[in-house]
Amino acid sequence: MRRLLRGEAAVWGLLVCLSAAMAGVSFGYGVTREGGQVGPGFLPLVSGAALAVISAACLLRSVRRAAPEPEEEAADPRRVRTLWTVFGMLLVALLLVPLTGFLVAFGLLVFAVSAFVEKQRIVSAAGVAVAATVVIYAVFVLFLTVPLPGGLLGVGGDG
């Protein structure tokens, strides 16, 4: 039987609360626009609600399957190092946004994670980065008409 890891239920509960709050705040952005168009709050509403439901299901599952005594599990040092590497890359990407703009920083982040963390070939990593960046541009700038920060380069569709 799977044992409940120390703090697992608290993390799932916190995620339920945060995602529900995200869904609630989305109404302030406007879920729809005039004429029935999708507004900037639509994506946070849908993703927040979906994340809340999934997190609640995981919380329920983890509590139901838990044994009375939690078991100590040692974290794999490689996985912890990978986690910190991705967090570091995310911080660098966030710091690059005012300079390069969101789309360029996002593309570089996806490329770096794919090439250096996931150890994909450079061409494959570049393809994934370009595809992800095009999808983000299409969804936010073209479909939702939400401008993204352009930075000093002016790339991103923010006026």
Side-chain angles (χ1 to χ4, degrees):
M1 179 182 283
R2 184 179 156 305
R3 297 184 187 274
L4 181 66
L5 297 175
R6 193 170 303 170
E8 182 179 352
V11 170
W12 286 122
L14 179 64
L15 196 53
V16 168
C17 293
L18 288 174
S19 53
M22 182 174 91
V25 168
S26 69
F27 288 102
Y29 295 116
V31 177
T32 58
R33 290 183 163 184
E34 294 177 18
Q37 290 182 328
V38 174
F42 180 76
L43 185 61
L45 173 65
V46 171
S47 58
L51 187 58
V53 168
I54 292 168
S55 299
C58 290
L59 171 64
L60 187 61
R61 185 184 68 173
S62 69
V63 170
R64 283 185 177 170
R65 291 186 180 176
E69 299 172 17
E71 178 183 290
E72 283 291 321
E73 288 188 21
D76 181 9
R78 291 175 294 175
R79 294 191 69 191
V80 172
R81 188 172 39 251
T82 300
L83 176 66
W84 284 111
T85 301
V86 172
F87 279 149
M89 290 177 169
L90 180 60
L91 178 62
V92 169
L94 289 174
L95 293 173
L96 281 175
V97 168
L99 177 65
T100 64
F102 177 80
L103 289 174
V104 173
F106 175 76
L108 290 173
L109 174 66
V110 171
F111 174 77
V113 169
S114 185
F116 303 116
V117 175
E118 295 294 325
K119 309 281 192 236
Q120 299 293 319
R121 288 179 284 152
I122 298 297
V123 174
S124 298
V128 168
V130 168
T133 303
V134 167
V135 167
I136 292 298
Y137 179 80
V139 168
F140 285 98
V141 176
L142 299 179
F143 180 65
L144 296 175
T145 62
V146 175
L148 299 173
L152 294 177
L153 298 178
V155 178
D158 68 340

